[in-house]
Amino acid sequence: MQIAGGRVPSAGVGWQAGDTIVLREVLDGRVRSARPLLVLADDLDGVVGYLAPRSQVAWPRLLGGAQSQTPDQGWQLRLEQWQGPGCLFQLPAGEAFAVVLFLDAEDGSPLGWKVDFLAPCIRTEIGLDTLDWALDLLAAPGLATWTVKDEDDLAQLVLMGILDEERLVQLDAARGRAKAAVVARGFPFVGQWAEWRPPVGGLAPLTLPTGWHVVSRPAHERRPVQSSGMGSRVLDADGTAWLDLDLAGGTLLHGHAHPEVVAAVARQASLGLRSGVPTAVEERLAEVLTARTPGLDRVSWTDSSYEALGLAVRQARAVTGRRLVATWSTDQFDDDMLRLPPDPAAVAKELLTGAGAVLAGVVVDGLDLLGSLDDAGRASWPGLRELLLRLAATGTVLVADERRTLGAGATGGLGVLGLGGRVDLVVYGASLFGGLEAGAVCGRTALVVDDATWAAGRARPGGDASEHIHPVPAAAALATLRVADPIALERLGARATRVRAALGLPGFGPAVRLPRDVAADLLVDHVLVDAMGWAWLSTATDDADEEWMLAALRPVLG
């Protein structure tokens, strides 16, 4: 047959041999993939087209460059050169599958068949729109053998609701017809395949025509919803990459989807999701946590960060027999929590000194200090250290709140104040558990009142399930601590210090304190920050992330 090649059709009603059309996947008004096809035939049986090697295609990629397998991962379209073999597409009219014959790029000989199950194609002015339903059949050139591929991706589409019951019925019927055609070597595996094959040496690569990416999309579907994340960046539902300086409120010390944390979670999930008795991962985590904070030899678990701080508060009261607990945090538990005001340190000192005789404990998080005290308050931290030492001498319990500041050291704000060795209780939250919700409190044996709920460097045997930590976040915690080795934390601290100096902003550990009114302005540059005015760095933050952050913040800060 004579092939002209390269002519773009003027309307999507009928195409002539030699027209170039675009086979696109479209979901929620977004193109998910696009391939240019040279039309070889268009009749009542359907459309036949050819994808030439080295043609320009648009392919769905994740932030790291891997192919997006299912839409819930999110995707960015990248223009690439098709590296696969020549592909003859037979798209039967009204059918929920396409048949592809792979051809050797050199001599045009058949390499094998694939049946792609997909939504019946819709004709447009530019070509054919569909959506891949993930499931494939692969068959040998002679159709003697065949295998099923990507059933796991199909299951994910069902879970997402992309394939509802009606479409599943449609898919099952199409699967039956395709298998029958393979076995019988019938339509569409018979016909003019030999005629359609390009000449030896192939055809010139195709390019995507103008307007290949334009799809009409309802406005109500345009919403910034995260689909996936990697390191310090996330993809939203529109395929836009964002620099994530929010990092789930600073709880993602190693950024999104760190491979060691992901692997630990996946492995533990395969071993069991819950237990009424201690698990090996729980025992190991108790040992690691107590080794991390010398002098603290007991651990108690909770189901959340909030509950962990509540446990520390109750423990301080039980040990001292007093009720009042002071904190700069906005967390409120009851009327006996003394909320230290956002005033200079002198006011906080006056309140602490006056309350000293009835003070059960002081909860210190360096972020709260930086967030609430002005420059004079920050300058008086040494005076605050002396005050806390005096209070500790009277029996007041010092609580290090490390729920957000895991990257700053084993005792958080109290460590920065030079009181790391005087800490009585350390509170851990989601930042320890890889962003998963769980909590833990480390304490001294002398401060343990209810011994039944505390593990001595290891989980105690027996007890009901509520006294044991969920093994999946425990596994994530072990991986998080393993990755947070001294070298990684030193590099993180150095980067955060460099960023703070470049911007002239205060901070603590991996955090940078921003003016609270800049968050909306940063959205223009696709930068996310904590709603409370914090920008968080992670061990995954690289030089490109740092440059993006500085470029976005400098104009906003003036």
Side-chain angles (χ1 to χ4, degrees), residues 158-225:
V158 173
L159 185 64
M160 293 171 59
I162 290 177
L163 283 174
D164 55 19
E165 186 174 348
E166 180 180 349
R167 289 186 175 90
L168 276 176
V169 170
Q170 192 176 7
L171 172 60
D172 287 340
R175 183 174 181 174
R177 291 191 297 272
K179 287 183 178 179
V182 170
V183 173
R185 292 172 173 78
F187 177 82
F189 296 96
V190 295
Q192 298 177 283
W193 291 97
E195 259 184 67
W196 293 329
R197 282 163 54 187
V200 175
L203 298 173
L206 301 173
T207 58
L208 290 167
T210 301
W212 65 267
H213 60 288
V214 177
V215 180
S216 176
R217 183 176 185 186
H220 71 272
E221 293 181 345
R222 296 172 185 163
R223 57 186 187 275
V225 177

Coordinates of all heavy atoms in Angstrom, one line a residue, residues 158-225:
V158 N -9.4 -1.0 40.3 CA -10.7 -1.3 40.9 C -10.8 -0.6 42.3 O -11.8 -0.1 42.7 CB -10.9 -2.8 41.1 CG1 -12.1 -3.2 41.8 CG2 -10.9 -3.5 39.7
L159 N -9.7 -0.7 43.1 CA -9.7 -0.1 44.4 C -9.9 1.4 44.3 O -10.6 2.0 45.2 CB -8.4 -0.4 45.1 CG -8.2 0.0 46.5 CD1 -9.2 -0.7 47.4 CD2 -6.8 -0.2 47.0
M160 N -9.4 2.0 43.3 CA -9.5 3.5 43.1 C -10.9 3.9 42.6 O -11.3 5.0 42.7 CB -8.5 4.0 42.1 CG -7.1 3.9 42.5 SD -6.0 4.3 41.1 CE -6.5 5.9 40.7
G161 N -11.7 2.9 42.1 CA -13.0 3.2 41.6 C -13.0 3.6 40.1 O -14.0 4.0 39.6
I162 N -11.8 3.6 39.5 CA -11.8 3.9 38.0 C -12.5 2.8 37.3 O -13.2 3.1 36.2 CB -10.3 4.0 37.6 CG1 -9.7 5.3 38.2 CG2 -10.2 4.0 36.1 CD1 -8.2 5.5 37.8
L163 N -12.4 1.6 37.7 CA -13.2 0.5 37.1 C -14.3 0.1 38.1 O -14.1 -0.6 39.1 CB -12.2 -0.7 36.9 CG -11.3 -0.6 35.6 CD1 -10.4 -1.8 35.6 CD2 -12.1 -0.5 34.4
D164 N -15.5 0.6 37.7 CA -16.7 0.2 38.6 C -17.2 -1.1 38.1 O -16.7 -1.8 37.2 CB -17.7 1.3 38.5 CG -18.2 1.6 37.1 OD1 -17.9 0.8 36.2 OD2 -18.7 2.7 36.9
E165 N -18.3 -1.5 38.7 CA -18.9 -2.8 38.4 C -19.3 -3.0 36.9 O -19.0 -4.0 36.3 CB -20.1 -3.1 39.3 CG -20.7 -4.5 39.1 CD -21.8 -4.7 40.1 OE1 -22.0 -3.9 41.0 OE2 -22.5 -5.7 39.9
E166 N -19.8 -1.9 36.3 CA -20.2 -1.9 34.9 C -19.0 -2.1 34.0 O -19.0 -2.9 33.1 CB -20.9 -0.7 34.6 CG -21.4 -0.6 33.1 CD -22.1 0.7 32.8 OE1 -22.4 1.4 33.7 OE2 -22.3 0.9 31.6
R167 N -17.9 -1.4 34.3 CA -16.7 -1.5 33.5 C -16.0 -2.9 33.7 O -15.4 -3.4 32.8 CB -15.7 -0.4 33.8 CG -16.2 1.0 33.3 CD -15.2 2.0 33.5 NE -15.6 3.3 33.0 CZ -16.2 4.3 33.6 NH1 -16.6 4.1 34.9 NH2 -16.5 5.4 33.0
L168 N -16.1 -3.4 34.9 CA -15.5 -4.7 35.2 C -16.2 -5.8 34.4 O -15.6 -6.7 33.8 CB -15.6 -5.1 36.7 CG -14.5 -4.5 37.5 CD1 -14.7 -4.9 39.0 CD2 -13.1 -5.1 37.1
V169 N -17.5 -5.7 34.3 CA -18.3 -6.6 33.4 C -17.9 -6.5 32.0 O -17.7 -7.5 31.3 CB -19.8 -6.4 33.6 CG1 -20.6 -7.2 32.5 CG2 -20.3 -6.7 35.0
Q170 N -17.7 -5.3 31.6 CA -17.2 -5.0 30.2 C -15.8 -5.6 30.0 O -15.6 -6.1 28.9 CB -17.2 -3.5 30.0 CG -17.1 -3.0 28.5 CD -17.2 -1.5 28.4 OE1 -17.3 -0.8 29.4 NE2 -17.2 -1.0 27.2
L171 N -15.0 -5.4 30.9 CA -13.6 -5.9 30.8 C -13.6 -7.4 30.8 O -12.9 -8.1 30.0 CB -12.8 -5.4 32.0 CG -11.4 -6.0 32.2 CD1 -10.5 -5.8 30.9 CD2 -10.7 -5.5 33.4
D172 N -14.4 -8.1 31.6 CA -14.4 -9.5 31.7 C -14.9 -10.1 30.3 O -14.4 -11.1 29.8 CB -15.3 -10.0 32.8 CG -14.7 -9.8 34.2 OD1 -13.4 -9.7 34.2 OD2 -15.4 -9.8 35.2
A173 N -15.9 -9.4 29.8 CA -16.4 -9.9 28.5 C -15.4 -9.7 27.4 O -15.2 -10.6 26.5 CB -17.7 -9.1 28.1
A174 N -14.7 -8.6 27.4 CA -13.6 -8.3 26.4 C -12.5 -9.3 26.6 O -11.9 -9.8 25.6 CB -13.1 -6.9 26.5
R175 N -12.2 -9.7 27.8 CA -11.1 -10.6 28.1 C -11.5 -12.0 27.5 O -10.6 -12.7 26.9 CB -10.9 -10.7 29.6 CG -9.7 -11.6 30.0 CD -9.5 -11.5 31.5 NE -8.4 -12.3 32.0 CZ -8.0 -12.3 33.2 NH1 -8.5 -11.5 34.1 NH2 -7.0 -13.0 33.6
G176 N -12.7 -12.4 27.7 CA -13.2 -13.7 27.1 C -13.1 -13.7 25.6 O -12.7 -14.7 25.0
R177 N -13.5 -12.6 24.9 CA -13.5 -12.5 23.5 C -12.0 -12.5 23.0 O -11.7 -13.2 22.0 CB -14.2 -11.2 23.0 CG -15.7 -11.3 23.2 CD -16.3 -10.1 22.4 NE -15.9 -8.8 22.9 CZ -16.5 -8.2 23.9 NH1 -17.6 -8.7 24.6 NH2 -16.1 -7.0 24.3
A178 N -11.1 -11.8 23.7 CA -9.7 -11.8 23.3 C -9.1 -13.1 23.4 O -8.3 -13.6 22.5 CB -9.0 -10.7 24.1
K179 N -9.3 -13.8 24.5 CA -8.7 -15.2 24.7 C -9.3 -16.1 23.6 O -8.5 -16.9 23.0 CB -9.1 -15.7 26.1 CG -8.3 -15.0 27.2 CD -8.6 -15.7 28.5 CE -7.8 -15.1 29.6 NZ -8.1 -15.7 31.0
A180 N -10.5 -16.0 23.3 CA -11.1 -16.9 22.3 C -10.5 -16.6 20.9 O -10.2 -17.6 20.2 CB -12.6 -16.7 22.2
A181 N -10.2 -15.4 20.6 CA -9.6 -15.0 19.4 C -8.2 -15.5 19.3 O -7.7 -16.0 18.2 CB -9.7 -13.5 19.2
V182 N -7.4 -15.5 20.4 CA -6.1 -16.0 20.4 C -6.1 -17.5 20.2 O -5.3 -18.0 19.3 CB -5.4 -15.7 21.8 CG1 -4.1 -16.5 21.9 CG2 -5.2 -14.2 21.9
V183 N -7.0 -18.2 20.9 CA -7.0 -19.7 20.7 C -7.4 -20.1 19.3 O -6.9 -21.0 18.7 CB -8.0 -20.3 21.7 CG1 -8.2 -21.8 21.5 CG2 -7.5 -20.1 23.2
A184 N -8.4 -19.3 18.7 CA -8.9 -19.7 17.4 C -8.1 -19.0 16.3 O -8.3 -19.3 15.1 CB -10.4 -19.2 17.3
R185 N -7.1 -18.2 16.7 CA -6.4 -17.4 15.7 C -7.3 -16.7 14.7 O -7.1 -16.7 13.5 CB -5.4 -18.3 14.9 CG -4.3 -18.9 15.8 CD -3.5 -19.9 15.1 NE -2.3 -20.4 15.8 CZ -2.3 -21.2 16.8 NH1 -3.5 -21.7 17.2 NH2 -1.2 -21.6 17.5
G186 N -8.3 -16.1 15.3 CA -9.4 -15.4 14.5 C -9.2 -13.9 14.6 O -8.2 -13.4 15.1
F187 N -10.2 -13.2 14.2 CA -10.2 -11.7 14.2 C -10.0 -11.2 15.6 O -10.6 -11.7 16.5 CB -11.5 -11.1 13.6 CG -11.6 -9.6 13.6 CD1 -11.0 -8.9 12.6 CD2 -12.2 -9.0 14.6 CE1 -11.0 -7.5 12.6 CE2 -12.3 -7.6 14.7 CZ -11.7 -6.9 13.7
P188 N -9.2 -10.2 15.8 CA -8.4 -9.4 14.8 C -7.0 -9.9 14.6 O -6.1 -9.1 14.2 CB -8.4 -8.0 15.5 CG -8.3 -8.3 17.0 CD -9.1 -9.6 17.2
F189 N -6.7 -11.2 14.9 CA -5.3 -11.7 14.7 C -5.1 -12.2 13.3 O -4.0 -12.7 12.9 CB -5.0 -12.8 15.7 CG -5.0 -12.3 17.1 CD1 -6.1 -12.4 17.9 CD2 -3.9 -11.7 17.7 CE1 -6.2 -12.0 19.2 CE2 -3.9 -11.3 19.0 CZ -5.0 -11.4 19.7
V190 N -6.2 -12.1 12.5 CA -6.0 -12.5 11.0 C -6.3 -11.3 10.2 O -6.9 -10.3 10.7 CB -7.0 -13.6 10.7 CG1 -6.6 -14.9 11.4 CG2 -8.4 -13.2 11.0
G191 N -6.0 -11.3 9.0 CA -6.3 -10.2 8.1 C -5.1 -9.7 7.4 O -4.2 -10.5 6.9
Q192 N -4.9 -8.4 7.3 CA -3.9 -7.8 6.4 C -2.6 -7.4 7.2 O -1.9 -6.5 6.8 CB -4.5 -6.5 5.8 CG -5.7 -6.8 4.9 CD -6.3 -5.6 4.3 OE1 -7.0 -4.8 5.0 NE2 -6.0 -5.3 3.1
W193 N -2.3 -8.1 8.3 CA -1.1 -7.7 9.1 C 0.2 -7.7 8.2 O 1.0 -6.8 8.3 CB -0.9 -8.7 10.2 CG -2.0 -8.6 11.3 CD1 -3.1 -9.4 11.4 CD2 -2.0 -7.7 12.3 NE1 -3.8 -9.0 12.4 CE2 -3.2 -7.9 13.1 CE3 -1.2 -6.6 12.7 CZ2 -3.6 -7.2 14.2 CZ3 -1.6 -5.9 13.8 CH2 -2.8 -6.1 14.5
A194 N 0.3 -8.6 7.3 CA 1.5 -8.7 6.4 C 1.5 -7.4 5.5 O 2.6 -6.8 5.3 CB 1.5 -9.9 5.6
E195 N 0.4 -7.0 5.0 CA 0.3 -5.8 4.2 C 0.6 -4.5 5.0 O 1.2 -3.6 4.5 CB -1.1 -5.6 3.6 CG -1.3 -6.1 2.2 CD -2.7 -5.8 1.7 OE1 -3.1 -4.6 1.6 OE2 -3.4 -6.8 1.5
W196 N 0.2 -4.5 6.2 CA 0.3 -3.3 7.0 C 1.8 -3.2 7.5 O 2.1 -2.1 7.9 CB -0.6 -3.4 8.3 CG -2.1 -3.3 7.9 CD1 -2.6 -2.7 6.9 CD2 -3.1 -4.0 8.6 NE1 -4.0 -2.8 6.9 CE2 -4.3 -3.6 8.0 CE3 -3.2 -4.8 9.8 CZ2 -5.6 -4.0 8.4 CZ3 -4.4 -5.2 10.2 CH2 -5.6 -4.9 9.5
R197 N 2.5 -4.2 7.6 CA 3.9 -4.1 8.0 C 4.7 -3.1 7.2 O 4.6 -3.2 6.0 CB 4.6 -5.5 8.1 CG 4.1 -6.3 9.2 CD 4.5 -7.8 9.1 NE 5.9 -8.0 8.8 CZ 6.4 -9.2 8.4 NH1 5.6 -10.2 8.3 NH2 7.7 -9.3 8.2
P198 N 5.5 -2.3 7.8 CA 6.2 -1.3 7.0 C 7.3 -2.0 6.3 O 7.7 -3.1 6.5 CB 6.8 -0.4 8.1 CG 6.9 -1.2 9.3 CD 5.7 -2.2 9.3
P199 N 7.9 -1.3 5.3 CA 9.0 -1.9 4.5 C 10.2 -2.1 5.4 O 10.4 -1.5 6.5 CB 9.3 -0.8 3.4 CG 8.8 0.5 4.0 CD 7.6 0.1 4.8
V200 N 11.1 -3.0 4.9 CA 12.4 -3.2 5.7 C 13.1 -1.9 5.8 O 13.2 -1.1 4.9 CB 13.3 -4.2 4.9 CG1 14.6 -4.4 5.6 CG2 12.5 -5.6 4.8
G201 N 13.6 -1.6 7.0 CA 14.2 -0.3 7.3 C 13.2 0.6 8.0 O 13.6 1.6 8.5
G202 N 11.9 0.3 8.0 CA 10.9 1.0 8.7 C 10.5 2.3 8.1 O 10.9 2.6 7.0
L203 N 9.7 3.1 8.9 CA 9.2 4.4 8.4 C 9.8 5.5 9.3 O 10.4 5.2 10.4 CB 7.7 4.4 8.5 CG 7.0 3.4 7.6 CD1 5.5 3.5 7.9 CD2 7.2 3.7 6.2
A204 N 9.8 6.7 8.8 CA 10.4 7.8 9.6 C 9.6 8.0 10.9 O 8.4 7.8 11.0 CB 10.3 9.1 8.7
P205 N 10.3 8.4 12.0 CA 9.7 8.6 13.2 C 8.6 9.7 13.1 O 8.8 10.6 12.3 CB 10.8 9.1 14.2 CG 12.1 8.5 13.5 CD 11.8 8.5 12.0
L206 N 7.6 9.7 13.9 CA 6.5 10.7 13.9 C 6.7 11.6 15.1 O 7.4 11.3 16.1 CB 5.2 10.0 14.0 CG 4.8 9.0 12.9 CD1 3.5 8.2 13.3 CD2 4.7 9.6 11.6
T207 N 6.1 12.8 15.0 CA 6.1 13.7 16.1 C 4.6 14.0 16.5 O 3.7 13.8 15.6 CB 6.8 15.0 15.7 OG1 6.1 15.6 14.6 CG2 8.2 14.8 15.4
L208 N 4.4 14.4 17.7 CA 3.1 14.7 18.1 C 2.6 16.0 17.5 O 3.4 17.0 17.6 CB 3.0 14.8 19.7 CG 3.2 13.4 20.4 CD1 3.4 13.7 21.9 CD2 1.9 12.6 20.2
P209 N 1.4 16.1 17.0 CA 1.0 17.3 16.3 C 0.6 18.4 17.3 O 0.4 18.1 18.5 CB -0.2 16.9 15.5 CG -0.8 15.7 16.3 CD 0.4 15.0 16.9
T210 N 0.5 19.6 16.9 CA 0.1 20.7 17.7 C -1.3 20.4 18.3 O -2.2 19.9 17.6 CB 0.0 22.0 16.9 OG1 1.3 22.3 16.3 CG2 -0.5 23.2 17.7
G211 N -1.4 20.7 19.6 CA -2.7 20.5 20.3 C -2.9 19.1 20.9 O -4.0 18.8 21.4
W212 N -1.9 18.3 20.8 CA -2.0 16.9 21.3 C -2.4 16.9 22.8 O -3.0 15.9 23.2 CB -0.7 16.1 21.1 CG 0.4 16.6 21.9 CD1 1.4 17.5 21.5 CD2 0.8 16.3 23.2 NE1 2.3 17.8 22.5 CE2 1.9 17.0 23.6 CE3 0.2 15.4 24.2 CZ2 2.5 16.9 24.9 CZ3 0.8 15.3 25.4 CH2 1.9 16.0 25.8
H213 N -2.1 17.9 23.6 CA -2.3 17.9 25.0 C -3.5 18.6 25.5 O -3.8 18.6 26.7 CB -1.1 18.5 25.7 CG -0.9 20.0 25.3 ND1 -0.5 20.4 24.1 CD2 -1.2 21.1 26.0 CE1 -0.4 21.7 24.0 NE2 -0.9 22.2 25.1
V214 N -4.3 19.1 24.6 CA -5.5 20.0 24.9 C -6.7 19.1 25.1 O -7.1 18.3 24.3 CB -5.8 21.0 23.9 CG1 -7.0 21.8 24.2 CG2 -4.6 21.9 23.7
V215 N -7.2 19.2 26.3 CA -8.5 18.4 26.7 C -9.4 19.4 27.4 O -8.9 20.1 28.3 CB -8.2 17.2 27.6 CG1 -9.4 16.4 27.9 CG2 -7.2 16.3 26.9
S216 N -10.6 19.4 27.1 CA -11.6 20.2 27.9 C -11.8 19.5 29.2 O -12.0 18.3 29.3 CB -12.9 20.2 27.1 OG -13.9 20.9 27.9
R217 N -11.7 20.3 30.3 CA -11.7 19.8 31.6 C -12.6 20.6 32.5 O -12.5 21.8 32.6 CB -10.3 19.8 32.2 CG -10.3 19.1 33.6 CD -8.9 19.1 34.1 NE -8.8 18.4 35.4 CZ -7.8 18.3 36.1 NH1 -6.6 18.8 35.7 NH2 -7.8 17.6 37.3
P218 N -13.6 19.9 33.2 CA -14.4 20.7 34.2 C -13.6 21.4 35.2 O -12.7 20.8 35.8 CB -15.3 19.6 34.8 CG -15.2 18.4 33.8 CD -13.8 18.5 33.2
A219 N -14.0 22.6 35.5 CA -13.3 23.4 36.5 C -13.3 22.8 37.9 O -12.3 23.0 38.6 CB -13.8 24.9 36.5
H220 N -14.4 22.1 38.2 CA -14.5 21.6 39.6 C -13.5 20.5 39.9 O -13.3 20.1 41.0 CB -15.9 21.2 39.9 CG -16.2 19.9 39.2 ND1 -16.8 19.9 37.9 CD2 -16.2 18.6 39.6 CE1 -17.0 18.6 37.6 NE2 -16.6 17.8 38.5
E221 N -12.8 20.0 38.8 CA -11.9 18.9 39.1 C -10.4 19.5 39.2 O -9.5 18.7 39.5 CB -11.9 17.9 37.9 CG -13.2 17.2 37.8 CD -13.2 16.2 36.6 OE1 -12.4 16.3 35.7 OE2 -14.1 15.3 36.7
R222 N -10.3 20.8 39.1 CA -9.0 21.3 39.3 C -8.7 21.6 40.7 O -8.9 22.7 41.2 CB -8.9 22.6 38.4 CG -9.0 22.3 36.9 CD -9.1 23.6 36.1 NE -9.4 23.3 34.7 CZ -9.8 24.2 33.9 NH1 -10.0 25.4 34.3 NH2 -10.0 23.9 32.6
R223 N -8.2 20.7 41.4 CA -7.9 20.9 42.8 C -6.5 20.4 43.2 O -6.1 19.3 42.6 CB -9.0 20.3 43.7 CG -9.1 18.8 43.5 CD -10.3 18.2 44.3 NE -10.4 16.8 44.2 CZ -11.0 16.1 43.2 NH1 -11.6 16.8 42.2 NH2 -11.0 14.8 43.2
P224 N -5.8 21.0 44.0 CA -4.4 20.6 44.4 C -4.4 19.4 45.4 O -4.4 19.7 46.6 CB -3.8 21.8 45.0 CG -4.9 22.6 45.6 CD -6.1 22.3 44.7
V225 N -4.5 18.2 44.9 CA -4.5 17.1 45.8 C -3.2 16.3 45.5 O -2.9 15.9 44.3 CB -5.7 16.2 45.5 CG1 -5.7 14.9 46.3 CG2 -7.0 16.9 45.8

